[in-house]
Amino acid sequence: MAILSEYEEEDQNKPTTSSVKKAQFSAVLDPSDPIGFLERVFEFVARESDFFKSNSLVNDVNAVVRMVKDKVEAEEKTRRKELKAKENAKAEKEAKEEPPAAEAVRKEEVKVTVAEKEVNGESETKEDEKKGHRAPNKGNGLDMDNYSWAQSLQEVNITVPVPPGTKSRFITCEIKKNYLKVGLKGQSPVIDGELFQPVKVEDCFWSLEDQKSISILLTKQNQMEWWKYLVKGEPEIDTQKVEPENSKLSDLDPETRTTVEKMMFDQRQKSMGLPTSDEMQKQEILKKFMAEHPEMDFSGAKIN
């Protein structure tokens, strides 16, 4: 009995699973600030465990993020596939139930729509031809799928949306004379390529606006020419359709302003098929010379 009691005493001294202290995590996920929630999770794990002392910490976290992302994308892909299958089944059912007369009317409507598009220059072929030259946005730049850019003769302004609550330490922005790279750390860059023209790196900067977007300002080296694109490989804009703000012309020195106004005038003349200022000046000189020398035969002369 003495031996048994000793064993019982030893068992009582052993810590049980229920006696081990377990830290409780308490936080509420705000859908508009997922990054903030993750920060609180990581801070909690760092306080309560040795997880952040691991040499493979970054790889482990990246692996978890990739795994969850792949799972979400797979579920979304499955959901879209099921939805598409339902739509196709519904369309097939309606097609079988559709009366022949109604189907004939529908086909005729399709023909009319296609004909109208061709007349208005909106056919797919013509649309594809326009992809190389796009009309600029209101800022004389272009709106892309995941960012937009605008420009004046002096500078280029870029806006890159980011998830709400993004902190500046998660942003990577590399500005070089002929190169720009922008994005979030650990993700593929949103912008990564050779710039249309060189910039003054010392006069360029970026900032995080309301934790919702990255704002980048690039100062052009050549401040007398419009950019056709931001980085190499993008669609080009039609610089003939650029509309500079007249209010900004007053900020220029007289010589630069004269040059800019002349360039704007020449662009408008070319877009209308009319002579530029230099060509008009040559015409005036030739007309004056002809008036001063009536004895000469100018019948074969051409005024371009």
Side-chain angles (χ1 to χ4, degrees), residues 217-273:
L217 183 141
L218 304 178
T219 302
K220 299 178 181 179
Q221 278 198 3
N222 178 5
Q223 301 189 347
M224 301 302 297
E225 185 177 351
W226 298 106
W227 284 18
K228 294 182 179 180
Y229 54 82
L230 179 63
V231 293
K232 192 173 182 180
E234 282 187 352
E236 295 185 6
I237 65 170
D238 186 355
T239 54
Q240 300 288 340
K241 296 181 180 179
V242 167
E243 297 180 358
E245 298 181 17
N246 294 328
S247 58
K248 293 186 179 181
L249 292 177
S250 59
D251 299 335
L252 304 175
D253 60 84
E255 183 179 355
T256 304
R257 178 173 179 173
T258 301
T259 304
V260 172
E261 289 177 340
K262 176 180 179 296
M263 183 180 66
M264 293 167 56
F265 174 80
D266 289 344
Q267 285 183 342
R268 287 194 297 268
Q269 290 292 101
K270 286 181 178 180
S271 64
M272 295 185 293

Side-chain angles (χ1 to χ4, degrees), residues 4-210:
L4 180 60
S5 62
E6 288 177 359
Y7 278 115
E8 290 177 347
E9 183 178 354
E10 288 179 0
D11 291 339
Q12 291 175 357
N13 292 333
K14 289 183 180 180
T16 62
T17 304
S18 59
S19 66
V20 177
K21 182 182 178 182
K22 295 183 179 180
Q24 298 294 324
F25 175 72
S26 176
V28 178
L29 172 62
D30 182 357
S32 65
D33 185 20
I35 298 299
F37 178 79
L38 288 177
E39 283 186 17
R40 291 190 288 274
V41 172
F42 288 141
E43 289 171 357
F44 175 79
V45 173
R47 287 196 308 269
E48 303 297 335
S49 72
D50 296 332
F51 180 61
F52 276 76
K53 295 180 181 180
S54 171
N55 293 329
S56 62
L57 170 64
V58 175
N59 291 334
D60 293 342
V61 172
N62 286 338
V64 172
V65 172
R66 283 196 300 270
M67 178 185 68
V68 175
K69 183 179 179 183
D70 292 343
K71 182 179 179 181
V72 172
E73 290 178 349
E75 291 176 351
E76 179 64 18
K77 186 176 181 180
T78 301
R79 188 190 68 80
R80 289 198 301 265
K81 187 181 293 184
E82 292 175 351
L83 181 61
K84 185 66 176 178
K86 290 181 180 179
E87 292 177 350
N88 291 339
K90 183 179 178 181
E92 290 178 0
K93 182 178 179 181
E94 291 177 350
K96 292 179 180 179
E97 297 175 353
E98 185 178 23
E103 183 178 358
V105 171
R106 181 174 57 81
K107 290 182 178 180
E108 189 64 28
E109 289 176 350
V110 171
K111 291 180 180 179
V112 172
T113 303
V114 173
E116 288 177 351
K117 286 185 177 181
E118 291 178 350
V119 171
N120 294 329
E122 298 177 355
S123 63
E124 292 183 358
T125 303
K126 292 185 178 181
E127 188 65 29
D128 291 340
E129 293 175 355
K130 293 179 182 178
K131 286 183 179 178
H133 262 97
R134 297 187 182 180
N137 58 20
K138 293 182 179 179
N140 297 320
L142 202 59
D143 296 326
M144 307 299 291
D145 292 336
N146 47 4
Y147 71 94
S148 63
W149 65 279
Q151 67 173 321
S152 64
L153 281 171
Q154 293 79 32
E155 59 192 30
V156 176
N157 292 279
I158 308 163
T159 301
V160 182
V162 294
T166 298
K167 302 295 178 64
S168 58
R169 62 178 179 270
F170 297 139
I171 296 172
T172 174
C173 184
E174 184 179 351
I175 304 174
K176 295 183 180 180
K177 182 179 179 181
N178 295 291
Y179 171 79
L180 176 64
K181 181 179 181 180
V182 184
L184 297 177
K185 294 179 180 178
Q187 299 184 18
S188 299
V190 178
I191 304 173
D192 185 8
E194 180 182 346
L195 294 169
F196 177 73
Q197 284 189 349
V199 297
K200 299 178 182 179
V201 179
E202 64 277 8
D203 294 331
C204 301
F205 63 89
W206 68 271
S207 62
L208 179 62
E209 303 294 334
D210 299 326

